[in-house]
Amino acid sequence: MADAQTPPEYRPDALIAEDIEAYLARHRDAGLLRFITCGSVDDGKSTLIGRLLYDSHMVFEDQLQQLESDSARVGTQGETLDFALLVDGLSAEREQGITIDVAYRFFATENRKFIVADTPGHEQYTRNMVTGASTADAAVLLVDARKGVLQQTRRHAFLAHLLGIRHIILAVNKMDLVDYAADVFERIEADFRGFAAALEFENIAAIPLSGFKGDNVVNASPAMPWYEGPTLVAHLEALPLAGDQTGPFHMPVQWVNRPNQDFRGFAGLASDGVIRPGDAVRILPSGAQSTVKAIETFDGQLEEAVAGQSITLTLADEVDCSRGDVIASAEDPPQVADQFDAHLVWMDKIAMKPGRGYWLKLGTRTVTATLQPPKYEIDVNNPTGEGARLAAKTLELNSIGVVELHTDRPIAFAPYRESKALGGFILIDKESNATVACGMINFALRRAQNVHWQPTDIARDHHAALKNQVPRVLWFTGLSGSGKSTIANAVEKKLALMNRHTFLLDGDNVRHGLNRDLGFTETDRIENIRRIGEVAKLMADAGLIVLTAFISPFRAERKMVRDMLPEGEFVEIFVDTPLEVAEQRDVKGLYRKAREGKLKNFTGIDSPYEAPENPEIRVNTVDMTVEEAADHIIAQVMPLK
């Protein structure tokens, strides 16, 4: 099987087989460009990459043999090679003829090395496209010459803009199917430039080509003499590299290198700028300052390090610096804040839960972040037109919105447009450890810089000493009808007889005042528990023993409250009552209404309850009376000083 345009004998670079060390040495110092291919479904992204690899002689003989076999078996190009099969590796991709996951491929020319990410065109795989684009310097945006600029073309152009890609190559593909007509190409180019003007890309280049035939991919096409611009590869070779940019030095600290008592260095990947021995640096978020004593690497000391290099810095002073901190230029350090405005791309099937705590990972720092309801969702099908901002209470899979979030401690950051390393982050679900979103920080909220903790002279220990007790938060959780409030009330009475200072927060009572504005959706339940947690923390700071009786159905929110308090002060008490028993009691008639469909989002019926996995105390109200349960709890939490 042979394409009419391919040479009779295909051979990769002969130097690879003759002297691999010489081949590697030739390419060691060549610049590296990362780019993606994107666009609508069936625009030919995988075929174009396959042709790139083939014409660049980056396909080995065994791969070529496999390609010929696969083309005959599952190919879509008749008797010719199906270059898409070099990239589409999943069986589902080959069966359906589409790209589903992101496929990364390396290739090199005489002048440059490349890593290309083939991203899917289907709207339902937007998160996959975002993943591939997050590290790219340029985007090859394909358009089928027969179809022109489509909705998904605009969608991917906007996503590329959002993710900080500065260079767009509009690849008008399949020109062979429109007889290489210049007017078709010019019309598509004009259409796209009109849309993209609002996105303010640094550079847009339009190239007519045929990925299948190889026209203007690596070699200039004689079929389009009217096009006088560079081929796709020639243009990619000429693009400026990300490393060519200059800016203030940033290095997130990954590891404190302490091989012996005489050496203490801070290792990490320089993400931005240039650093030299003698340069003044600042450690963030603490703000401590020092100067660079030496730049260490495995191969010895350097006189200069630039973005993209892994280095170890030794400093002239003994400063407090650990993993997650940022070493930055003292003259122009990044900002430090704990509240942000950010773009968020939601990547999980479970919708965003405003008020829930997620792990936020930025650089090498991991903190807890709590999200507010979206300010708005972006209509990515019409991102630059009227009505592009949509009202939203949450973000679903593949949705993009602007949110406000706050972290549990200040972190060093830079706006994403200035630094991908210090402006881009991911969110991780604390229960499943799944990555649920990626985000781009726009700016810090001013109130984060103007609101500070006010120091007080009377500390929580003094409040507790006055009451002669250790503060506790006794957190009763269980289904409606399990007996939480009844048992909590009995425990408080027993503590009162022991002259303990207590306060009982009951779920129903609190909803008459503090939380009267909240409903019973998952989002409202999360906010309900967050507020109660903050109140319980303040009461514990006052030295009280706080008892709370709430269903609190989600483990993540119970853990959020636990994390608010000093270790040992949060006591989770699981009132373990089977659903059928709780439903039989049904004093308020709530289960009956829920079964009849008159009461929505009722825990245990149409809303989940996540039982504690390792509670400090478990009471079974089937086997225990209220008095027995209360005595058991008192025995577990005593002695209370």
Side-chain angles (χ1 to χ4, degrees), residues 58-99:
M58 296 302 294
V59 181
F60 297 100
E61 291 185 11
D62 59 335
Q63 293 175 312
L64 183 59
Q65 292 171 3
Q66 186 64 48
L67 175 62
E68 293 174 345
S69 174
D70 290 344
S71 296
R73 183 169 52 88
V74 294
T76 61
Q77 303 299 337
E79 293 299 316
T80 56
L81 294 176
D82 188 349
F83 293 108
L85 297 177
L86 284 172
V87 183
D88 289 339
L90 299 177
S91 59
E93 294 177 322
R94 295 185 170 207
E95 291 169 1
Q96 301 178 55
I98 62 171
T99 298

Side-chain angles (χ1 to χ4, degrees), residues 207-227:
I207 301 174
L209 54 82
S210 170
F212 177 55
K213 297 290 187 180
D215 296 287
N216 286 339
V217 178
V218 173
N219 303 307
S221 171
M224 290 179 279
W226 46 266
Y227 173 71

Side-chain angles (χ1 to χ4, degrees), residues 245-312:
Q245 302 177 68
T246 59
F249 175 77
H250 302 146
M251 188 190 81
V253 176
Q254 186 173 14
W255 175 48
V256 179
N257 187 354
R258 187 83 184 210
N260 56 61
Q261 63 181 0
D262 299 321
F263 184 90
R264 184 167 177 256
F266 306 99
L269 177 70
S271 61
D272 302 284
V274 180
I275 193 72
R276 301 176 182 87
D279 286 353
V281 293
R282 183 173 295 178
I283 315 301
L284 298 168
S286 70
Q289 295 194 55
S290 185
T291 57
V292 176
K293 182 178 179 181
I295 304 172
E296 305 282 353
T297 70
F298 180 80
D299 297 319
Q301 293 188 358
L302 300 178
E303 292 302 315
E304 177 183 276
V306 299
Q309 287 184 284
S310 293
I311 56 176
T312 295

Side-chain angles (χ1 to χ4, degrees), residues 567-586:
E567 186 174 357
E569 285 193 12
F570 182 89
V571 180
E572 187 174 40
I573 303 170
F574 179 28
V575 183
D576 189 0
T577 303
L579 176 61
E580 58 272 17
V581 175
E583 193 166 356
Q584 287 171 6
R585 294 171 181 172
D586 203 13

Side-chain angles (χ1 to χ4, degrees), residues 107-369:
F107 71 99
T109 65
E110 288 296 320
N111 303 311
R112 182 168 285 181
K113 296 176 291 188
F114 301 92
I115 294 178
V116 55
D118 182 26
T119 64
H122 281 69
E123 181 176 345
Q124 70 188 87
Y125 300 123
T126 296
R127 57 180 175 174
N128 302 52
M129 183 271 175
V130 169
T131 299
S134 61
T135 59
D137 306 311
V140 178
L141 181 59
L142 276 82
V143 175
D144 188 327
R146 300 168 300 172
K147 303 175 183 177
V149 175
L150 302 176
Q151 186 179 81
Q152 193 72 341
T153 312
R154 297 184 176 93
R155 182 187 185 92
H156 279 192
F158 172 75
L159 290 171
H161 157 74
L162 183 64
L163 290 160
I165 294 177
R166 301 173 297 129
H167 305 285
I168 288 287
I169 299 99
L170 180 69
V172 182
N173 193 25
K174 304 185 181 181
M175 288 297 295
D176 54 308
L177 300 182
V178 293
D179 297 326
Y180 301 102
D183 61 327
V184 172
F185 168 74
E186 293 166 356
R187 184 173 63 252
I188 292 173
E189 180 183 8
D191 187 7
F192 180 78
R193 289 187 183 276
F195 162 78
L199 300 179
E200 299 179 347
F201 288 111
E202 184 175 317
N203 175 267
I204 298 176
I207 301 174
L209 54 82
S210 170
F212 177 55
K213 297 290 187 180
D215 296 287
N216 286 339
V217 178
V218 173
N219 303 307
S221 171
M224 290 179 279
W226 46 266
Y227 173 71
E228 299 178 350
T231 63
L232 176 60
V233 167
H235 183 76
L236 290 171
E237 287 181 329
L239 286 177
L241 301 175
D244 294 340
Q245 302 177 68
T246 59
F249 175 77
H250 302 146
M251 188 190 81
V253 176
Q254 186 173 14
W255 175 48
V256 179
N257 187 354
R258 187 83 184 210
N260 56 61
Q261 63 181 0
D262 299 321
F263 184 90
R264 184 167 177 256
F266 306 99
L269 177 70
S271 61
D272 302 284
V274 180
I275 193 72
R276 301 176 182 87
D279 286 353
V281 293
R282 183 173 295 178
I283 315 301
L284 298 168
S286 70
Q289 295 194 55
S290 185
T291 57
V292 176
K293 182 178 179 181
I295 304 172
E296 305 282 353
T297 70
F298 180 80
D299 297 319
Q301 293 188 358
L302 300 178
E303 292 302 315
E304 177 183 276
V306 299
Q309 287 184 284
S310 293
I311 56 176
T312 295
L313 297 179
T314 58
L315 304 181
D317 305 286
E318 290 291 333
V319 295
D320 182 12
C321 182
S322 58
R323 176 178 170 83
D325 290 343
V326 175
I327 299 178
S329 168
E331 296 181 356
D332 191 8
Q335 303 175 56
V336 174
D338 61 4
Q339 297 190 45
F340 308 95
D341 179 280
H343 278 85
L344 204 63
V345 181
W346 199 255
M347 305 170 73
D348 195 51
K349 293 180 180 178
I350 300 175
M352 182 186 91
K353 299 293 190 300
R356 172 167 290 183
Y358 297 92
W359 294 122
L360 181 149
K361 189 175 187 303
L362 186 152
T364 56
R365 172 76 73 184
T366 300
V367 296
T368 294

